[in-house]
Every structure is written in C-alpha cells, then in structure tokens.
C-alpha cells in the first residue's frame, strides 16, 4: 500500500469511533493551519523537496505531510503525482496558485484557512470578498426561465411556442 492509501485509510476510517476521528481531524487542522501560515508568509517562493524533507521542514510525520499534499494538490500550479506510488523519497512541489488556493479553501468551508491574517498581505479585503463570492456563485445552479406554451417562440418565428418549437 502507498502512503496516500495509508493516509486515507486512517483519515476516512468509517469503523473508527467518531470521537477519535474528530480528535484526529482537529489535530490535523491545527497542523495544516500552521503549514499554511508559513507558506502564505512568502507566497511566491516555491517550496520543493521530498515528502520526507518537507515533513522534517514543517516538523510533522511524513504520513501527515501526505495528507497535506492530498489537500493542497488541486491548488498547485502543477499538481504532484500523488495518486501514483507516493513514497517518502518522492520529489514534490508546493508552488500554489494563490487564487485557486483561496477559492478551494472557501469551497472546503475552511474559514480557519481563508481567514488567516497572511491573506491580508496577498489580497485586499475587496479582492478576497470578490474571490469568495466568485467561488460561492460557481456552485450555484441557475435554471433558465421556463418558456410558457403561449409565449412567443424563442426561435424568432413570431409564432406561439406551442405552435412552433414546442410541438
């Protein structure tokens, strides 16, 4: 089994007691927040290294680093090959797209991440509100106005819909 499968087996273990799993996630979210605080302090720096080197850099276990990589992967400029056989000696990059990262944090409802004070130095309050609303609207399905049978046909024929395209 690869590291990613090991991480997912622990993190999404349905047979584990709910309180134990909640404690696991609470601890993980604190670690995740700490890593993001460091990454966002210098957002244009590309952090690279093996899984083990990055785990050592952020003073966490390699398996926890794999969980972090799983979470940030959709926000990276070039996603890491985490689905393949990810090992401790696999070279990875944490070069992230700032807008994508912010929007993905909003999408995940991770207010402890998208409200980090480090974002203040990256985006103005107006820009953060704009990105927040863009992300929220992207998940909203807008149904087109329904055409009534006695409305003019949208094809432009001048006939009623029921006598034209509505047949």
């Amino acid at each position: 089994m690869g590291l990613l499968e090991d991480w997912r087996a622990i993190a999404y273990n349905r047979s584990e007691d709910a309180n134990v799993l909640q404690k696991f996630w609470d601890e993980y979210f604190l670690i995740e927040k700490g890593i993001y605080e460091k990454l966002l302090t210098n957002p244009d720096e590309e952090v690279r290294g093996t899984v083990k080197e990055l785990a050592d850099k952020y003073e966490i276990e390699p398996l926890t680093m794999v969980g972090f990589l799983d979470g940030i992967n959709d926000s990276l400029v070039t996603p890491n090959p985490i689905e393949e056989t990810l090992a401790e000696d696999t070279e990875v990059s944490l070069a992230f797209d700032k807008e994508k990262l912010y929007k993905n944090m909003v999408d995940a409802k991770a207010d402890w991440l998208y409200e980090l004070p480090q974002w203040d130095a990256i985006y103005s309050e107006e820009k953060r509100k704009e990105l927040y609303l863009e992300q929220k609207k992207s998940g909203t399905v807008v149904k087109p106005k329904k055409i009534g049978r006695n409305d003019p046909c949208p094809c432009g024929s001048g006939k009623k819909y029921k006598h034209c395209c509505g047949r």
Side-chain angles (χ1 to χ4, degrees):
M1 218 199 272
L3 284 176
L4 184 62
E5 291 83 14
D6 291 347
W7 164 258
R8 288 180 177 169
I10 295 167
Y12 304 109
N13 185 352
R14 299 230 181 253
S15 61
E16 187 62 73
D17 177 56
N19 292 329
V20 172
L21 210 52
Q22 185 62 49
K23 185 176 185 286
F24 168 83
W25 280 109
D26 289 345
E27 290 170 5
Y28 172 76
F29 291 147
L30 279 175
I31 292 167
E32 180 185 44
K33 182 180 177 184
I35 295 172
Y36 277 120
E37 286 172 340
K38 291 174 185 169
L39 282 175
L40 293 172
T41 301
N42 192 354
D44 297 319
E45 175 191 353
E46 180 182 4
V47 178
R48 307 186 61 83
T50 65
V51 173
K52 176 82 171 107
E53 289 169 349
L54 292 179
D56 291 344
K57 176 179 177 151
Y58 295 109
E59 300 172 354
I60 59 175
E61 294 296 316
L63 203 56
T64 306
M65 190 68 217
V66 170
F68 182 80
L69 289 168
D70 189 23
I72 196 174
N73 212 40
D74 290 339
S75 304
L76 299 178
V77 174
T78 306
N80 291 309
I82 63 168
E83 292 295 334
E84 296 155 24
T85 52
L86 188 66
E88 287 188 14
D89 61 349
T90 305
E91 186 80 25
V92 292
S93 167
L94 297 181
F96 57 90
D97 177 311
K98 294 182 281 269
E99 279 194 17
K100 248 194 228 180
L101 180 62
Y102 190 83
K103 287 179 177 182
N104 285 339
M105 288 174 171
V106 169
D107 189 42
K109 297 177 178 66
D111 57 344
W112 65 94
L113 296 177
Y114 68 79
E115 290 178 355
L116 284 171
Q118 286 80 358
W119 284 111
D120 296 344
I122 299 170
Y123 292 126
S124 66
E125 187 176 341
E126 294 79 31
K127 179 67 174 174
R128 288 194 312 275
K129 282 180 183 176
E130 178 188 318
L131 292 171
Y132 181 90
L133 289 174
E134 264 180 47
Q135 179 55 42
K136 288 296 186 185
K137 285 180 182 175
S138 72
T140 305
V141 177
V142 179
K143 292 184 178 178
K145 182 181 175 280
K146 188 175 179 204
I147 303 167
R149 56 190 304 266
N150 288 315
D151 290 342
C153 190
C155 76
S157 66
K159 298 180 182 178
K160 287 186 177 182
Y161 180 67
K162 67 181 176 186
H163 291 301
C164 190
C165 295
R167 288 183 181 215

